[in-house]
Amino acid sequence: MDPEFGKSLDTSKNSWRTSLLLAYQSLGVVYGDLSTSPLYVYKSTFAEDIQHSETNEEIFGVLSFVFWTLTLVPLFKYVFVVLRADDNGEGGTFALYSLICRHARVSLLPNRQVADEALSTYKLEHHPEKNSSSGVKLYLEKHKVLHTALLILVLLGTCMVIGDGVLTPAISVFSAVSGLELSMSKEHHQYAVIPITCFILVCLFALQHYGTHRVGFFFAPIVLTWLLCISSLGIYNIIYWNPHVYQALSPYYMFKFLKKTRKGGWMSLGGILLCITGSEAMFADLGHFSYSAIQTAFTFLVYPALILAYMGQAAYLSQHHHTSYQISFYVSVPESVRWPVLIIAILASVVGSQAIISGTFSIINQSQSLSCFPRVKVIHTSDKIHGQIYIPEINWVLMILCIAVTIGFRDTKHMGNASGLAVMTVMLVTTCLTSLVIILCWHKPPILALFFLLFFGSIELLYFSASLTKFTEGAWLPILLALFLMTIMFVWHYATIKKYEFDLHNKVSLEWLLALGPSLGIARVPGIGLVFTDLTSGIPANFSRFVTNLPAFHRVLVFVCVKSVPVPFVPPAERYLVGRVGPAAHRSYRCIVRYGYRDVHQDVDSFESELVSKLADFIHYDWHRSQHSPHSEEDVSHSNESTSECRLAVIGTVAFSGTPAYEIEESMQPASVSIGFSTVESVTDVIEMEPVHAVERRVRFAIDDDSESDVRTNMELQLREELQDLLAAQEAGTAFILGHSHVRAKQGSSVFKRLAINFGYNFLRRNCRGPDVALKVPPVSLLEVGMVYVV
């Protein structure tokens, strides 16, 4: 997302006009899935477990359950609580996880730096206080097993969202098309619905590469038309068939329903819960809109329309006691408008499916950014709208699975059972994570978080338990998908962490790099060498292996670390951390490039040119800093011989203007400076400072004008020489030095670890996109260094 666009959007979100416009636009993106649930809720509920009787106790009980479920979960839980737990305006499972990781040290991500906390988007909800929440925080930070459990919980929610991406398009389109059953015979109907559904699904997935922004203009009007349609039908059915149906909104009818139906009524909750499918989209798509827009759209339009739709269907069914297989949305639609409603329903189901497909792409991209998913090709379909992405491999896998579900299940009942379990699992994960946010981020009393967890968790567990009873009737599918995806994600994340630990333990010292020279038969060749590594300090082992096999390296050497930080976006002005590796004469640098989990990664051409630009800005800044820190020529030459890595500076996007960027000092060795100048006439003051990691002595002194001008002239010459070297190296060409890794479990490892590493991870690594492909490195500029990781 363009930060300038985000800032301008944030400043205008306060106006009602903008909020109403965003609320209108959110209809097409956020509420497509939720608004189409009336198509299949009653049909799934009365599929098998309960029967619609003359007393109407069943239909009124179901209506009461639907009303209170819609009121408590989407309205109270999401609109009034969960939507406030945003991460810089972003929502979703990973947003909650990153929020928790910033307030407590529970992240398992490698190469974390103190410098990351200086990011403007790394804001904390409140300043840490000594209250009851600190006990929970300390307990979480102390037990490493809880860090893994938290990650597994997040991955479970992520996998269920992906599973929902398979099931929602299938059940939405199938339910909409099944309206044809009232217009043709049963024999023709069973042979027509499946092919038509599959055809629509194929078209839907085939159009994904164009991006939702191409047809997004039509999304909101379709959903708005659909909501007005179902609410109008609801009002008509209430007035015409049963004006007293509003009495069923009383909770009394829920207890009456359960008392009569007992086990069958409890099992039928697996169908009732489908009324809140799509509620998670309100939170997941928060970054596209604003809190007030989503709140306004749901509270004043979507929620009343859905309640009227369900009441209208119940009013109609209370006067028509058919057998259960004839209960569907379309029987309550007057025959004169049935065909227009069918067409609008199909369009609305396509819109709802589009929203969950886009959400699946987005969450896989986030997982990939946080090293929890193998690298896949990500295409950004819009330059203006952030988050609009397309992943070809995932798209076609989703299409195949959707068609397989449609052909395999062939009815709403099994699809509803599968979708219901996936939805409730995601909601339970969100409830657990939000409880932690209430304690750790909002610093509320733990009793408040416990109340939130128990109240909403008990409602969701009730529905979850009902879904689990349908394991053999379709609910096995999301569990199977989740186990398969979690295995892939956890193995990939585990191996990535182990590779980082191996690199960390096998890095070589800076003295080794500085000792390389002609005396050892090492040559410096023209050009820029970009050595990619996960390390934020030290010299990676793959570079030492490279020099051992090819005794030469480039005149300008840059150790590049592209890392993800637990924030949604990193402003471009704060993306690059640049510093020297060794003295200035060695022409070696370190560049840490930081991305958020929703950031767009640059292609190699713009990255290469921007990196050189940042190096030039840093060289300007570094010499400028030296020039404005009073010292003598001897001090400059001595500091240039230092064998330590200097401090890292944040280099912004604005061209260098003489104003220093802010500096980060962490894990750096202090230079021991001895001052002895014959030209010093008087020492004005001596200041000793003791930073956290080291002792630094700052000496101020006075020198005469001639000496000062000589120092500045010498520094300007060295600055010009260093910039000329950088320009000459850029013209000579850039080489990308990447590690080509093979990971192997160490001797004595368990059978599970050997299977996961030797077969699972290496299979995924061979069949996913390599780092060179992900960076779009030209083959002519690529140098791969073979590395065997024993973990």
Side-chain angles (χ1 to χ4, degrees):
M1 178 181 181
D2 184 5
E4 298 301 323
F5 169 78
K7 289 177 184 175
S8 63
L9 189 63
D10 288 338
T11 56
S12 60
K13 279 180 181 177
N14 296 326
S15 68
W16 273 104
R17 185 177 178 181
T18 305
S19 293
L20 289 175
L21 179 62
L22 288 173
Y24 169 73
Q25 293 173 345
S26 71
L27 293 176
V29 177
V30 178
Y31 297 110
D33 185 15
L34 187 62
S35 64
T36 54
S37 56
L39 287 170
Y40 45 79
V41 168
Y42 283 126
K43 186 170 185 178
S44 298
T45 305
F46 288 94
E48 185 177 278
D49 301 307
I50 56 175
Q51 302 295 325
H52 179 35
S53 65
E54 297 285 342
T55 62
N56 288 327
E57 289 181 352
E58 294 84 2
I59 191 65
F60 289 161
V62 170
L63 174 61
S64 185
F65 264 106
V66 167
F67 172 75
W68 286 105
T69 304
L70 275 171
T71 303
L72 292 175
V73 179
L75 187 62
F76 287 173
K77 175 189 167 184
Y78 279 93
V79 171
F80 293 121
V81 181
V82 176
L83 286 183
R84 297 181 184 274
D86 65 295
D87 181 14
N88 290 280
E90 293 296 323
T93 308
F94 274 105
L96 290 172
Y97 181 61
S98 70
L99 204 58
I100 293 168
C101 289
R102 294 210 300 274
H103 288 79
R105 297 184 180 277
V106 294
S107 174
L108 294 177
L109 292 176
N111 57 35
R112 178 174 175 171
Q113 291 176 284
V114 178
D116 299 337
E117 298 178 12
L119 289 168
S120 59
T121 49
Y122 202 100
K123 62 181 182 181
L124 303 180
E125 296 292 322
H126 299 281
H127 293 292
E129 301 170 3
K130 289 185 177 180
N131 55 15
S132 52
S133 68
S134 61
V136 178
K137 178 182 175 182
L138 290 173
Y139 186 80
L140 279 174
E141 292 178 343
K142 182 180 178 182
H143 296 83
K144 298 294 184 183
V145 68
L146 294 178
H147 302 183
T148 306
L150 185 62
L151 179 66
I152 290 175
L153 185 68
V154 172
L155 294 184
L156 175 63
T158 302
C159 293
M160 285 299 182
V161 170
I162 298 172
D164 200 23
V166 173
L167 297 164
T168 294
I171 189 172
S172 297
V173 176
F174 182 85
S175 300
V177 175
S178 64
L180 293 171
E181 67 183 348
L182 300 178
S183 304
M184 58 178 61
S185 64
K186 190 175 180 180
E187 290 77 13
H188 293 113
H189 167 256
Q190 63 182 359
Y191 293 111
V193 172
I194 300 297
I196 292 173
T197 301
C198 292
F199 174 75
I200 293 174
L201 288 172
V202 170
C203 293
L204 175 64
F205 284 100
L207 294 173
Q208 289 300 310
H209 68 280
Y210 290 110
T212 56
H213 68 287
R214 307 268 184 195
V215 289
F217 178 77
F218 300 101
F219 280 12
I222 289 172
V223 176
L224 179 61
T225 304
W226 170 250
L227 288 171
L228 293 176
C229 174
I230 60 174
S231 56
S232 301
L233 288 171
I235 293 171
Y236 168 80
N237 285 323
I238 291 170
I239 295 173
Y240 190 81
W241 294 110
N242 191 349
H244 300 289
V245 73
Y246 69 87
Q247 296 176 354
L249 302 182
S250 169
Y252 167 73
Y253 284 88
M254 289 194 295
F255 297 107
K256 195 174 180 181
F257 167 77
L258 291 175
K259 184 178 180 181
K260 179 180 179 180
T261 56
R262 298 184 181 276
K263 183 181 178 181
W266 169 63
M267 294 177 69
S268 70
L269 295 178
I272 296 173
L273 68 86
L274 296 177
C275 70
I276 52 176
T277 56
S279 300
E280 187 72 21
M282 285 193 290
F283 185 46
D285 292 322
L286 182 60
H288 295 263
F289 306 100
S290 67
Y291 169 71
S292 60
I294 291 181
Q295 186 183 44
T296 302
F298 183 79
T299 307
F300 296 105
L301 180 60
V302 179
Y303 176 73
L306 289 173
I307 297 300
L308 288 173
Y310 287 115
M311 288 176 67
Q313 288 186 66
Y316 176 87
L317 293 172
S318 67
Q319 303 299 321
H320 298 79
H321 302 92
H322 303 291
T323 53
S324 61
Y325 74 89
Q326 291 178 315
I327 293 179
S328 70
F329 169 78
Y330 291 100
V331 297
S332 63
V333 179
E335 193 170 350
S336 58
V337 295
R338 193 167 287 163
W339 278 102
V341 171
L342 174 65
I343 294 170
I344 298 172
I346 292 174
L347 291 174
S349 67
V350 169
V351 171
S353 302
Q354 177 61 60
I356 192 65
I357 292 169
S358 299
T360 304
F361 291 157
S362 178
I363 203 163
I364 287 177
N365 187 41
Q366 293 174 28
S367 305
Q368 181 179 253
S369 299
L370 297 176
S371 303
C372 293
F373 200 85
R375 287 179 292 268
V376 290
K377 183 178 182 180
V378 177
I379 300 172
H380 296 269
T381 58
S382 174
D383 296 328
K384 297 179 180 178
I385 306 173
H386 83 281
Q388 297 291 345
I389 59 174
Y390 167 65
I391 305 177
E393 299 98 321
I394 302 300
N395 182 65
W396 301 122
V397 169
L398 285 178
M399 186 192 76
I400 292 170
L401 290 175
C402 274
I403 293 174
V405 166
T406 304
I407 296 174
F409 284 159
R410 290 176 172 266
D411 64 359
T412 309
K413 171 190 164 187
H414 288 82
M415 293 183 196
N417 293 338
S419 180
L421 184 66
V423 167
M424 292 318 303
T425 306
V426 175
M427 289 188 173
L428 275 169
V429 170
T430 300
T431 300
C432 295
L433 295 178
T434 306
S435 302
L436 287 176
V437 168
I438 291 172
I439 299 175
L440 300 175
C441 308
W442 297 349
H443 297 281
K444 301 295 182 184
I447 190 68
L448 191 64
L450 185 63
F451 173 77
F452 176 85
L453 179 64
L454 292 178
F455 182 75
F456 291 106
S458 59
I459 296 172
E460 290 159 0
L461 275 175
L462 177 66
Y463 283 117
F464 182 77
S465 63
S467 295
L468 276 180
T469 61
K470 305 296 181 70
F471 180 83
T472 59
E473 300 173 15
W476 57 268
L477 181 60
I479 295 176
L480 185 66
L481 280 174
L483 284 175
F484 178 72
L485 288 169
M486 279 189 68
T487 302
I488 291 176
M489 296 170 81
F490 195 77
V491 165
W492 185 268
H493 182 79
Y494 176 78
T496 302
I497 297 296
K498 289 298 179 183
K499 279 179 61 181
Y500 175 76
E501 291 175 354
F502 181 90
D503 280 335
L504 200 61
H505 293 144
N506 290 276
K507 65 181 180 180
V508 295
S509 65
L510 185 59
E511 288 77 7
W512 173 87
L513 174 66
L514 298 179
L516 298 176
S519 60
L520 296 178
I522 306 295
R524 300 291 292 266
V525 297
I528 299 176
L530 301 181
V531 183
F532 283 82
T533 174
D534 289 330
L535 299 178
T536 56
S537 63
I539 311 302
N542 63 348
F543 179 72
S544 66
R545 187 176 178 84
F546 169 76
V547 175
T548 303
N549 289 277
L550 184 67
F553 59 94
H554 296 82
R555 187 70 187 91
V556 174
L557 192 63
V558 186
F559 295 97
V560 181
C561 172
V562 180
K563 58 177 286 190
S564 292
V565 289
V567 295
F569 303 102
V570 175
E574 302 174 33
R575 177 154 292 143
Y576 287 84
L577 272 173
V578 186
R580 293 191 188 279
V581 178
H586 198 267
R587 303 294 190 260
S588 296
Y589 310 91
R590 181 174 307 282
C591 182
I592 299 172
V593 190
R594 301 175 293 183
Y595 288 99
Y597 56 81
R598 287 183 70 90
D599 268 327
V600 179
H601 287 235
Q602 296 164 288
D603 58 53
V604 68
D605 294 327
S606 64
F607 173 74
E608 180 185 344
S609 58
E610 189 169 354
L611 180 61
V612 173
S613 173
K614 299 302 177 190
L615 287 175
D617 287 345
F618 169 75
I619 292 167
H620 270 292
Y621 161 64
D622 193 48
W623 287 106
H624 173 86
R625 181 186 60 187
S626 302
Q627 185 177 356
H628 285 76
S629 298
H631 51 294
S632 72
E633 186 176 351
E634 287 84 352
D635 183 33
V636 174
S637 62
H638 184 87
S639 65
N640 282 352
E641 293 171 2
S642 169
T643 59
S644 66
E645 293 191 47
C646 76
R647 64 187 67 180
L648 298 172
V650 176
I651 305 298
T653 54
V654 182
F656 183 77
S657 60
T659 304
Y662 68 82
E663 299 169 343
I664 306 297
E665 297 184 44
E666 59 171 353
S667 304
M668 299 300 176
Q669 303 169 8
S672 56
V673 180
S674 59
I675 306 293
F677 301 112
S678 57
T679 56
V680 172
E681 295 179 353
S682 64
V683 177
T684 56
D685 57 8
V686 177
I687 302 174
E688 291 191 1
M689 302 178 64
E690 293 189 19
V692 178
H693 299 295
V695 176
E696 178 182 312
R697 288 179 173 81
R698 182 178 298 170
V699 181
R700 297 183 183 177
F701 50 86
I703 59 177
D704 57 38
D705 293 339
D706 292 338
S707 230
E708 184 177 356
S709 62
D710 290 342
V711 170
R712 289 186 176 178
T713 302
N714 184 45
M715 290 174 65
E716 288 174 1
L717 288 173
Q718 292 186 56
L719 166 63
R720 191 176 297 112
E721 181 184 353
E722 188 170 2
L723 289 173
Q724 287 174 349
D725 286 348
L726 179 63
L727 179 62
Q730 184 183 18
E731 291 174 350
T734 302
F736 295 79
I737 303 171
L738 283 80
H740 184 78
S741 59
H742 178 78
V743 186
R744 191 175 69 234
K746 63 177 66 171
Q747 295 253 346
S749 299
S750 64
V751 176
F752 176 76
K753 183 177 179 179
R754 291 203 302 270
L755 285 174
I757 299 295
N758 296 348
F759 298 99
Y761 177 77
N762 284 313
F763 174 80
L764 292 172
R765 182 188 56 79
R766 286 193 301 268
N767 290 278
C768 74
R769 294 166 64 83
D772 56 321
V773 180
L775 291 166
K776 300 179 182 176
V777 177
V780 71
S781 303
L782 177 64
L783 288 171
E784 287 191 302
V785 183
M787 284 288 295
V788 177
Y789 289 82
V790 181
V791 299

